[in-house]
Structure formats: C-alpha cells, structure tokens
Amino acid sequence: MKARFDELLPFYVNGSLSDDDRAWVDGYLREHPAAAAELNWYQSLQTQLREDVPAVSSEVGLERALKRIRTEGPAPQRSRRAAGPSLVDRISDWLAAVLPQPVLRPAFAGAVAVVALQAVVIVHLMGQRDDDVSEIRALQASVVDKGPYLKVNFKADAREADIRMLLVEGNGSLAAGPGQLGDYYVRVPTGQVMAFADKLKASGIVDGVAVVDGLPARP
Amino acid sequence: MDNDEVLRLLGRIERADEAAFRELYRAFSRRLYAYVLRQLGDPAQAEEIVADTLYEVWRQPAKFCGDSQFSTWLIGIARNKVLMAFRSRKPDAVHDDLADVAELVANEDPSAFDILAQQQRHEGVRHCMDKLSNEHRECVHLVFYEGMSLGEVATIQACPEGTVKTRLFHARQKLKNCLQLLLQREGGGRLAGAAS
C-alpha cells in the first residue's frame, strides 16, 4: 500500500491522476493521517518550483528566431491544409525555392511572364492555316501534281543551253529537278508525250527517258 | 493557451504569418526557458535553445497534430537540443555528492516532512535540484513544474513508466535528504532556518 501511495502521490499533487487513483489516494490519506505530512511537502515543493520562474521576458530569444526566419528559414510546410495550394501559392513557393533573394523575384517573374506570352502568340500563329506566307505551310502535306511527265536523265557533258533548246523545241517545260540522281521532270502538252519522248531519246545529250504518272513528293 | 488556439495559430504560421508566430512564441517561451535553464543552468544557452526550438515550429508547423499538449511536444524538441548540449560538455561529478548525502541523513520521521514543507526556501530547492542527476532533475521538473502525467513523462524521457516511478522515488529521497542537510547546517544541527 505504501509503495503504491509513494508512486501515485506526485501525480496526485500535480493533478494528473485518474479519478479512480485519486480516490484511492484520498482513501489512503484518511486511513494514514501521518502521510499528510509527505503530501504537504510535495505541495510545498511544487509551489516553490513553480514560483521559481526565471525572470525573463516572454520574448526571450525571439529576435534570434526572427533573424533566422528572415535570413535562412525556408518557407513553412503546408501539408496541414485540406485543399491543395493555389496556383499563386505554388508559383510563390517555386520562386522562393529558385530565388532565395526576395529582391530578385519580381524581375524573374517578369521574365517568365514574357516567355509565357511568346508561347501563347506562337501557338496562336500555328492555328492560322490561311496565311500563305506562313512557314507553318511547310509542315503540311505536299500537293502532288498528276502527270504524265517525262523523267529525263541528261548525259554528264550536256550543257544547260542545249537542254533548254531541246525542251523549247518540244514545247516542254521543266516541272521539277534535277534531283540527287540527276532526274529532270518535264511537263509536256497533252497528246505529245510519246512523240516528245521519242525526240528526246534521239537526242545526243539525253541518257534516258521514262514516262511517269506524277512528280515525286517533296521532302 | 489550449490546443485549439495553438492549432489556429499554427494554421496561420503555415501561411508564413509572422504575427501568429510571435503570439505562439510569447505564450510558450518562458515555460520552455524554465525547462532548458533547469537542465543546463546556462541562461545564454537556454535562450539559444528556446529560439532554435520555436524556430523549428516555424519551419514545420504541420508536424504538430494536436494529439498531445503543445507544451509537451515542444519540450520533446527542446530535450533533443539539451541532450546535444550535454554531449558537448565535460562530465562533472557534482551529482555524486548526493549519494553521500543520502547516507548522512535518512530521516523518515513524518515531522521531518512538515519541517521541510514549512522551512525550505527557493534557493535551497534550487540548490538541491542542481545536485540531482540530469534524468532525475528533468523528471521532477516535468512532474511538479509542468504537471505532466506519468505517461507524458515516460514519453518525453523515452523510457518505461516504471523507470519514471523509480527516478521519482530516488529523486524524492535525494531532494529530501539534501534539504534536510541544508537545514541542519544552517540551523546548527536542528531543522531550523533554510538556505536563503
């Protein structure tokens, strides 16, 4: 009994005992009046410890803490918030992480805004297909003209002037070429294709002639 | 300040509200300072640890969930910093004196408690608290100054509740004997007068 009394008494004095334990201590004190002296001592000890409060301001160390917050402290965590952080909060956090110096943040935010505006303009231009001079047209599929055409290969020693003269004599015009393999594609008036092909084959500057259905797709 | 108010302030601190931090700081700094000073006995070091402990609250306010008293949670943070400070100190033998004290006077007469209750003074209590080991002094502080329950003390000291009971028992014996010895010395052999 005494051992349990000794164990419970400190917590009886500081008021943290459960109701059952408190009732047990009350009963023990009634049965053992001399034990009240020990209770009195504990109560006196508690009073003196609590009265012996250091004579300091409630702001003890506050300036030191604030200095750390302003110089080295990272942004507080936000995990307690039920809803997720707003876009502005996330941008602020990101800026704080990227640029610890607050004075640089407005300039950096301005630069990011300019880049974002440029991106919007570019995307807008990509959507304008009716602009004939737009470079975006190059991304569209090539339109292949239908033939027939004559695919002509000239000899290596053929001169440009002789090639022109030959094409003019047959009412032909250059439609494409020369390609990487030296292929010229010649447009000929309807009904004269085979006749012009024979004329070309007979020329001394032509290496080969073939009738094709259309021009090759542009890369 | 109750936990509800603490949680409201922590919510504002999460939004980097410095005014909320100041309010929380003022509410708990002196209790924290009392604990750290009792353990270390060095005012400058105590101030530093109080500031560092509450700065941790600023950095991670969401870490406190409200499942314990905020002051208990704070002391847990401060305790780690106190232990770090202890490790950087040279060991001292001042606490060994109390083993001798315990042998010199062992008066279990109930009247001895009455005399102590009436005549002990702040200075004598502080002197004898300083003579206790770190664990015993901390245990007495948490129970009688902070008013913590057995479970809370065990949590703070990271030990079983039985260990807390044992520490309290030995701390009680040493404190009582130390205070009796002081009174005997000052009273010329009788329990009169107190260290002051």
Side-chain angles (χ1 to χ4, degrees), chain A:
Chain A
M1 296 256 307
K2 178 65 166 69
R4 186 178 181 200
F5 175 75
D6 287 342
E7 285 179 5
L8 294 179
L9 191 58
F11 302 101
Y12 179 88
V13 171
N14 78 4
S16 66
L17 274 191
S18 67
D19 290 343
D20 288 347
D21 285 340
R22 175 163 289 278
W24 187 91
V25 173
D26 285 335
Y28 184 90
L29 288 169
R30 278 195 298 273
E31 292 176 17
H32 304 83
E38 192 170 354
L39 170 65
N40 291 337
W41 177 59
Y42 270 135
Q43 287 172 332
S44 170
L45 183 66
Q46 177 171 263
T47 299
Q48 297 209 354
L49 285 171
R50 289 185 174 177
E51 286 177 351
D52 193 23
V53 179
V56 292
S57 159
S58 62
E59 297 194 352
V60 58
L62 177 59
E63 278 308 310
R64 178 190 173 91
L66 291 176
K67 187 178 178 183
R68 285 192 69 182
I69 286 172
R70 289 163 187 163
T71 56
E72 62 183 277
Q77 290 188 347
R78 301 171 196 281
S79 58
R80 191 198 305 279
R81 192 170 298 172
S86 67
L87 179 63
V88 173
D89 287 339
R90 279 185 285 182
I91 290 173
S92 299
D93 288 348
W94 179 70
L95 279 176
V98 171
L99 289 175
Q101 297 296 326
V103 70
L104 296 177
R105 288 177 196 159
F108 188 72
V112 170
V114 169
V115 171
L117 182 61
Q118 288 176 329
V120 169
V121 170
I122 289 171
V123 169
H124 178 68
L125 289 175
M126 288 177 70
Q128 292 182 337
R129 294 187 172 205
D130 57 346
D131 184 357
D132 289 340
V133 299
S134 173
E135 292 294 328
I136 307 306
R137 284 175 60 87
L139 299 176
Q140 298 172 11
S142 301
V143 177
V144 179
D145 294 336
K146 292 298 181 183
Y149 293 91
L150 295 176
K151 185 177 80 171
V152 183
N153 292 97
F154 293 95
K155 291 182 177 176
D157 57 352
R159 295 182 303 172
E160 183 181 350
D162 295 335
I163 293 172
R164 286 180 183 276
M165 185 60 71
L166 184 61
L167 294 180
V168 169
E169 287 175 357
N171 294 323
S173 61
L174 192 61
Q180 289 182 339
L181 298 176
D183 298 337
Y184 286 78
Y185 290 85
V186 179
R187 185 183 295 110
V188 183
T190 306
Q192 300 179 24
V193 173
M194 295 314 296
F196 191 49
D198 292 340
K199 183 178 178 64
L200 289 174
K201 287 174 185 174
S203 170
I205 63 171
V206 172
D207 205 14
V209 179
V211 179
V212 295
D213 291 331
L215 300 176
R218 283 183 294 180

Side-chain angles (χ1 to χ4, degrees), chain A residues 2 6-11 13-17 34-81, chain B residues 7 10-11 13-16 18 21-22 25-26 29-30 33-34 37-38 47-48 50-52 55 58-64 110 113-114 116-117 120-122 125-126 129 140 143-150 153 164-165 168-169 172 175-176 179:
Chain A
K2 178 65 166 69
D6 287 342
E7 285 179 5
L8 294 179
L9 191 58
F11 302 101
V13 171
N14 78 4
S16 66
L17 274 191
E38 192 170 354
L39 170 65
N40 291 337
W41 177 59
Y42 270 135
Q43 287 172 332
S44 170
L45 183 66
Q46 177 171 263
T47 299
Q48 297 209 354
L49 285 171
R50 289 185 174 177
E51 286 177 351
D52 193 23
V53 179
V56 292
S57 159
S58 62
E59 297 194 352
V60 58
L62 177 59
E63 278 308 310
R64 178 190 173 91
L66 291 176
K67 187 178 178 183
R68 285 192 69 182
I69 286 172
R70 289 163 187 163
T71 56
E72 62 183 277
Q77 290 188 347
R78 301 171 196 281
S79 58
R80 191 198 305 279
R81 192 170 298 172
Chain B
L7 288 170
L10 290 175
I13 290 172
E14 285 175 24
R15 298 189 291 276
E18 203 173 286
F21 177 73
R22 286 173 182 268
Y25 195 103
R26 291 191 189 102
S29 59
R30 282 201 284 193
Y33 183 85
L37 184 64
R38 184 94 72 194
E47 180 175 341
E48 183 180 332
V50 168
D52 291 351
Y55 173 71
W58 169 265
R59 284 185 62 234
Q60 298 180 315
K63 275 201 166 181
F64 177 67
F113 287 113
D114 281 333
L116 284 177
Q120 66 190 8
R121 297 291 182 267
H122 294 143
V125 171
R126 193 185 307 153
M129 283 287 283
V140 171
V143 171
F144 292 109
Y145 188 89
E146 289 290 339
M148 289 186 185
S149 68
L150 176 62
V153 178
V164 174
K165 291 176 183 175
L168 271 179
F169 177 79
R172 161 191 176 276
L175 270 179
K176 182 167 77 71
L179 288 165

